[in-house]
Amino acid sequence: MRARYSLYLFTVPALLVIGLFFVHPIILTFDMSLTNFAGIGEAKDVGWRNYERIFGRDRYLREIWLTLWYTVIVVSALTVTGLFFAAMLHRLPLIRNFSRAALYTPAMMSFVVVGYVWQFLYSPLNGGINVALRDLGLGAWEQNWLGDPAIALYSVAFTQIWMFTGFTCAIFLAGFAGIPEEIGEAGRLEGATSWQRFRYLELPLLGPSITVSVMLTTIGTLKTFELPFILTKGGPDGATRLLSIDIIDNLFGQYKFGFASALSIVMLVIVLIVAFIQNKVLRDREQA
Amino acid sequence: MAELALKNAIKRYGATQVVHGVDLQVDDGDFCVFVGPSGCGKSTLLRMIAGLEETSDGRMTIGGRDVTHADPAKRGVAMVFQTYALYPHMTVRENMSFGLKIGGTEKSEIKRKVDAAAQILKLDDYMDRKPKALSGGQRQRVAIGRAIVRQPDVFLFDEPLSNLDAELRVEMRVEIAKLHKQLGATMIYVTHDQVEAMTMADKIVVLRDGRIEQAGVPVKLYEDPDNLFVAGFIGSPRMNFFAGTVARVEAGIAHVTLPRLGGVEVPVSVSDLPAAGQAVKLGLRPEHFEPGGAIQTELAIDVIENLGGVSYAYSSAEGDEHPVIVELRGKTRPGESGALSVAFDPSSVLLFDSETGQRIR
Ligand SMILES: Nc1ncnc2c1ncn2[C@@H]1O[C@H](COP(=O)(O)OP(=O)(O)OP(=O)(O)O)[C@@H](O)[C@H]1O
Ligand SMILES: [Mg+2]
C-alpha cells in the first residue's frame, strides 16, 4: 500500500505547477468577474450582475455565435486545405521538405506582420488584390474586402486560413508518414485510384491526426483576437466583433476589468465544452 | 495462360544499377522461387514485376502482353507482402472485398468470391474481425485471400512467411503449396529460406548482386550447379570446398591433390579438362562422405552435433573460410572430437575453376 501512495507523491510537483499557474488565475478571474473592478480603486461585489448582462443582451449572444461561426469556417477550411496539401506532398516526395517549409512560413510570422501585409492587400483602392483583379480584367470582382460588413468576416477568416494551413498540413504529413507504405502499394495493386486510396485507405487511417488537428485549431481559433483586431478592430458595424475582441475592448479600452473577466470565463467555458464534445465525437469515430 | 517473361530487365536508382539485365522465363502454372543473399535484388525484381518499381530498361510480358510500363492494377498480378499490408481499419471481409468493390464488381458476386476464398483458407470464423485481432498466421491467410479473390494470372509473394514462427511456417508452406495445386496459377515467391525454396519450387532462380546465377529445377541446382556460388548457396548444411591443384591429366581424368585432406589425390572425370598445375576447387557435400568410399583420409574433428537421425562433424583448420562438415549416419557414430577417418567416392565431387568460380564439367 505504501507503494501506491508514493506513486501519487510524484505527481505533486506537476499538480503544484498546474494549481499555481492555471487553477489559481482562473479562480482569481472568476472572483473578479463578480465585481465591478475598474483597474484602480475599490472592487465592489456585484454578484452575478455581469453574467446577467452578458446573457441578457443580444449583443453578446451575437458575438458568441459569430465566434463559433468564425471557428467553424476557419477550422473546416484548415482541415480541408491541410489535408489537400498533405495528400499532394505525400505523393511528391521530391518537393515535400521544401514545400512543407514554405507552407509553414506564414505560421512562423508575427501576427502583426501578417496583419499589416494583408491590410495592404485588402485595401480598397490600391490594395494588392483589387489591383491584381483590375489588371486581370476582372474589375467587376473588386470588393471593399474589409469595409463591407457582408464579407469582412470571410476576409479575416481567409487570412487566418492562409496563415495556418502549413500548421495543419504539417500535422497531416506526420500522420501520412505513420501509414505504412505497403498499404498504399496494396491499394495500387488492387486498382485503387489516387483519390480512392485517399478516401478509403488514407483518410480513415488519419483519424488520430484529424483529431489532433481539429482540436488544436478549434481551441486556437476560438481564442484568437490578433487578426480581427489588427485588420478590422471588430468592424465594420460589428461584423468581425468576436468575443475576444470585446474582451480586449472592455479590458484595455474601457477598463471594465470585472466585466471583461466575466466574458473571459464565458469564453473559457465555451472552449472547454466545445473541446470536450469534439474530443468525445472524434475519439469515438476513431474507434469505429 | 499466363507465363511471365523478362528480357534484359534492368533497374537503376539514379546512377546505381541494382538489377543487371535479367532474362527469365516462368511457364504458366509454375511455382518459381527467387533466392539469394540479402540485398541481391529479389524484392526489387518482384516489385518490378508487380509494377511498384519502374523497369528502367528491358521488356516484360505476362501471358504474352507487354506490361513493361503498365499500371500495377492492369498487369493481372496480386502481391502478398512480408508485412501483410492489411488495411487495419477494415474487417477481414472488407479487406478481401476492397479490390473487387472499387473495381465495380456486383455485390452478390463479391460475396460469392470472398466466401469461396474464405472457405479455402479456413477464414470463415474471422470474417468480421479486424486484422489486429488476428494471429500472424491468420493475417497471412487474409493477405493471401485478398490476392485470391482477384483471380490474378500471377501471384507474387515477398518473403510471406518470414514473420511467422518455425512451426507455423511449415504449416503455411504446405498450405501455399496446396493452394498452388488447387488454383494452378503462376506464382513467384521470394525467400531466403533454403527449405522453402527446395520444397516448394518448380523452378529456383538464384540471384546474386542483381544477376541470375542459375535458374532451374531444384534438384538440378542441387546436383549440378553451374558455379561455386550456386553450389555453396543451395543445400544445407552447405557444400564443402577444398582448394587443390591439378597434379596431372591422364586419359581424360584430372588428378587433383587436396592439401586440406592430407594431400590425397582425387581422380575427377571431366570432359573439359583443366591443364596440369591449374588451381581448382573441389566441392563435396557433407552427405557424400561415406565409409565405403574409394578415397580415404583423416580429419581432425572439433565439434560433433547430434541431431538424432544424423550427426554433423565439424573440422576447422587455420585458413578455412568455413569448417569442413561431415554427415554421419548409422548406429555407430563417433560421439566426441578427435581424429576421424572419412572416405568419399570420387564420382560425387564437383570441380570448379578457382579463378572464375565456374564449374568444370
Ligand atoms: N530506393 C533505392 N535506392 C537505391 N538503392 C536501392 C533502393 N532500393 C533498394 N536498393 C538497393 O537495391 C538492392 C536490392 O535490394 P532488395 O530490397 O531487392 O534486396 P533483397 O534481395 O530483397 O534483400 P532482402 O533479402 O534483404 O530482402 C540493395 O543493394 C539495395 O541497397
Ligand atoms: Mg527483400
Side-chain angles (χ1 to χ4, degrees):
Chain A
M1 274 297 114
R2 270 181 54 91
R4 280 284 172 78
Y5 288 124
S6 65
L7 274 184
Y8 291 111
L9 204 63
F10 289 108
T11 65
V12 167
L15 288 177
L16 273 180
V17 170
I18 290 177
L20 200 63
F21 294 106
F22 188 71
V23 180
H24 185 235
I26 290 177
I27 292 172
L28 280 188
T29 307
F30 182 69
D31 267 353
M32 203 186 287
S33 75
L34 301 177
T35 69
N36 67 354
F37 187 51
I40 43 167
E42 202 190 342
K44 224 197 290 164
D45 227 327
V46 295
W48 295 98
R49 188 101 52 80
N50 286 329
Y51 291 94
E52 276 161 22
R53 188 167 152 211
I54 292 173
F55 292 108
R57 299 230 184 135
D58 276 356
R59 169 186 166 130
Y60 299 107
L61 293 180
R62 234 188 53 224
E63 280 173 15
I64 291 173
W65 278 120
L66 200 66
T67 305
L68 290 175
W69 177 231
Y70 181 78
T71 306
V72 167
I73 298 168
V74 171
V75 170
S76 331
L78 277 179
T79 308
V80 172
T81 54
L83 270 173
F84 174 78
F85 283 115
M88 293 264 294
L89 293 182
H90 179 63
R91 286 158 170 72
L92 300 169
L94 286 181
I95 60 161
R96 191 183 301 157
N97 285 337
F98 168 78
S99 307
R100 182 169 45 194
L103 268 174
Y104 201 74
T105 310
M108 294 189 295
M109 292 200 276
S110 146
F111 276 109
V112 180
V113 175
V114 172
Y116 279 113
V117 168
W118 279 87
Q119 204 164 43
F120 161 73
L121 288 174
Y122 280 140
S123 82
L125 293 177
N126 289 316
I129 293 176
N130 279 351
V131 168
L133 285 174
R134 225 174 292 151
D135 288 350
L136 289 171
L138 297 170
W141 292 8
E142 276 182 54
Q143 300 286 351
N144 187 357
W145 300 104
L146 294 174
D148 183 341
I151 54 176
L153 185 75
Y154 301 98
S155 302
V156 176
F158 183 84
T159 305
Q160 182 120 12
I161 293 160
W162 173 84
M163 197 168 167
F164 288 106
T165 289
F167 175 72
T168 52
C169 177
I171 293 178
F172 290 130
L173 270 177
F176 269 109
I179 301 176
E181 214 166 316
E182 284 95 350
I183 300 257
E185 292 180 340
R188 263 175 76 195
L189 274 168
E190 297 206 275
T193 59
S194 195
W195 163 251
Q196 284 171 323
R197 291 202 303 278
F198 174 74
R199 172 66 192 82
Y200 297 114
L201 303 180
E202 289 159 1
L203 194 59
L205 295 176
L206 283 176
S209 308
I210 294 176
T211 304
V212 169
S213 164
V214 168
M215 296 276 299
L216 290 181
T217 49
T218 302
I219 293 170
T221 311
L222 281 173
K223 296 189 307 188
T224 198
F225 80 96
E226 294 90 340
L227 284 177
F229 186 76
I230 296 166
L231 287 172
T232 57
K233 299 252 176 350
D237 194 17
T240 61
R241 183 183 269 273
L242 305 178
L243 202 52
S244 54
I245 297 276
D246 220 348
I247 294 176
I248 298 290
D249 189 36
N250 272 289
L251 204 55
F252 300 115
Q254 308 170 43
Y255 302 109
K256 293 186 181 166
F257 280 40
F259 187 66
S261 299
L263 281 174
S264 303
I265 292 290
V266 169
M267 174 127 110
L268 176 70
V269 171
I270 291 174
V271 170
L272 283 178
I273 291 174
V274 171
F276 181 79
I277 294 174
Q278 260 180 0
N279 194 27
K280 179 112 188 61
V281 171
L282 291 170
R283 289 275 172 222
D284 284 354
R285 263 210 38 193
E286 269 176 49
Q287 302 300 323
Chain B
M1 283 300 289
E3 79 285 349
L4 167 86
L6 301 184
K7 293 220 175 56
N8 194 29
I10 287 173
K11 176 70 195 174
R12 279 182 225 105
Y13 289 109
T16 43
Q17 186 162 332
V18 299
V19 173
H20 310 272
V22 164
D23 288 301
L24 179 67
Q25 170 84 35
V26 181
D27 294 331
D28 183 32
D30 258 7
F31 198 106
C32 173
V33 173
F34 291 175
V35 289
S38 192
C40 69
K42 304 181 293 289
S43 301
T44 307
L45 198 55
L46 196 76
R47 292 167 56 82
M48 283 161 69
I49 296 169
L52 295 173
E53 299 283 353
E54 182 69 14
T55 303
S56 313
D57 215 333
R59 229 169 86 86
M60 185 186 306
T61 58
I62 293 177
R65 282 183 304 129
D66 188 324
V67 294
T68 316
H69 301 291
D71 190 78
K74 304 237 162 70
R75 296 179 177 222
V77 301
M79 183 153 165
V80 176
F81 293 82
Q82 180 177 353
T83 53
Y84 317 126
L86 298 178
Y87 310 128
H89 56 294
M90 298 184 190
T91 63
V92 170
R93 178 176 293 285
E94 286 164 344
N95 261 286
M96 287 167 68
S97 314
F98 182 70
L100 296 174
K101 209 163 86 187
I102 57 171
T105 310
E106 219 179 294
K107 267 214 177 100
S108 56
E109 178 77 358
I110 295 179
K111 185 165 163 35
R112 197 180 57 72
K113 284 185 173 166
V114 170
D115 284 342
Q119 180 119 45
I120 295 175
L121 294 163
K122 301 196 238 32
L123 282 169
D124 312 84
D125 296 343
Y126 313 109
M127 294 310 273
D128 296 319
R129 289 206 201 161
K130 295 249 175 90
K132 66 166 179 262
L134 297 176
S135 73
Q138 290 161 348
R139 282 180 211 179
Q140 190 55 264
R141 268 200 277 269
V142 177
I144 294 173
R146 192 170 65 178
I148 291 179
V149 293
R150 296 185 45 235
Q151 296 176 313
D153 295 327
V154 180
F155 283 85
L156 306 174
F157 296 87
D158 191 356
E159 309 208 23
L161 308 185
S162 56
N163 284 352
L164 305 180
D165 67 44
E167 203 174 323
L168 201 53
R169 203 143 66 194
V170 175
E171 198 178 302
M172 287 299 294
R173 194 170 81 205
V174 175
E175 272 186 48
I176 292 178
K178 251 190 348 208
L179 196 68
H180 175 238
K181 276 224 184 64
Q182 208 170 341
L183 301 175
T186 311
M187 296 191 173
I188 299 182
Y189 189 103
V190 168
T191 182
H192 54 241
D193 185 318
Q194 280 288 322
V195 187
E196 276 174 34
M198 290 301 285
T199 54
M200 302 172 86
D202 293 316
K203 176 177 197 167
I204 293 185
V205 176
V206 181
L207 289 161
R208 176 167 66 154
D209 293 340
R211 289 192 178 79
I212 293 186
E213 289 287 322
Q214 190 176 356
V217 294
V219 183
K220 161 103 172 144
L221 262 58
Y222 187 82
E223 291 178 349
D224 190 18
D226 279 348
N227 51 47
L228 272 177
F229 180 79
V230 175
F233 194 80
I234 300 286
S236 169
R238 68 197 309 279
M239 186 184 271
N240 300 303
F241 295 114
F242 303 101
T245 330
V246 179
R248 62 208 155 83
V249 181
E250 274 174 12
I253 295 193
H255 295 263
V256 181
T257 48
L258 303 175
R260 176 72 176 85
L261 290 180
V264 290
E265 198 175 280
V266 185
V268 192
S269 155
V270 286
S271 49
D272 184 15
L273 285 166
Q278 187 182 334
V280 291
K281 282 225 163 114
L282 198 140
L284 184 66
R285 292 206 181 271
E287 71 264 28
H288 288 147
F289 284 102
E290 314 173 78
I295 311 284
Q296 310 258 344
T297 180
E298 267 198 358
L299 271 174
I301 302 297
D302 13 75
V303 184
I304 293 186
E305 284 177 357
N306 190 340
L307 305 185
V310 293
S311 296
Y312 293 109
Y314 295 84
S315 161
S316 336
E318 197 131 334
D320 277 4
E321 204 180 327
H322 300 281
V324 177
I325 306 173
V326 182
E327 186 180 307
L328 304 166
R329 290 179 179 279
K331 290 241 154 39
T332 54
R333 286 182 235 153
E336 52 211 73
S337 45
L340 176 73
S341 358
V342 293
F344 59 92
D345 202 55
S347 64
S348 48
V349 303
L350 304 175
L351 201 60
F352 300 92
D353 186 324
S354 284
E355 212 133 278
T356 61
Q358 290 304 308
R359 174 85 177 280
I360 303 174
R361 286 195 162 97

